[in-house]
Amino acid sequence: MAAKQKKLDYEAAVKELETLVERLEEGDISLEESLKLYERGVLLTRDCQESLQAAEQKVQMLLQQSGQTNMVDFDPETGEA
């Protein structure tokens, strides 16, 4: 069984994911290596999702502490919530 790698912070995980995607898109690696990279990408994606969920929970807790109860979606078109 492979040793579990240390969990990266969000930014490092995203950076590594970008690198993995670039390598896979080049297409000049073996099937075995492609599968290893894909597997690593799945693990990194899960880590990123967990980090984002934890951040959202923290924001919700802060909103509740300040008396606000609902989060409002941000509209990137207008720059407003």
Side-chain angles (χ1 to χ4, degrees):
M1 189 161 142
K4 188 172 183 175
Q5 293 186 2
K6 183 180 176 186
K7 187 173 177 178
L8 299 174
D9 66 23
Y10 179 80
E11 290 79 10
V14 169
K15 180 79 170 155
E16 186 175 340
L17 270 170
E18 290 171 350
T19 302
L20 291 178
V21 169
E22 288 172 5
R23 289 193 58 206
L24 287 167
E25 287 177 342
E26 290 172 1
D28 59 354
I29 54 177
S30 69
L31 177 60
E32 184 177 328
E33 182 67 15
S34 294
L35 289 173
K36 287 180 185 178
L37 293 176
Y38 180 81
E39 182 178 8
R40 177 69 179 150
V42 168
L43 294 173
L44 289 168
T45 300
R46 287 181 187 154
D47 286 349
C48 288
Q49 289 172 338
E50 289 172 8
S51 294
L52 290 173
Q53 287 173 344
E56 183 176 4
Q57 288 175 342
K58 287 179 185 178
V59 168
Q60 286 181 342
M61 287 174 35
L62 291 169
L63 287 174
Q64 288 174 351
Q65 290 173 358
S66 69
Q68 295 177 323
T69 56
N70 294 326
M71 291 178 53
V72 179
D73 289 336
F74 176 75
D75 184 354
E77 296 285 326
T78 64
E80 297 177 0

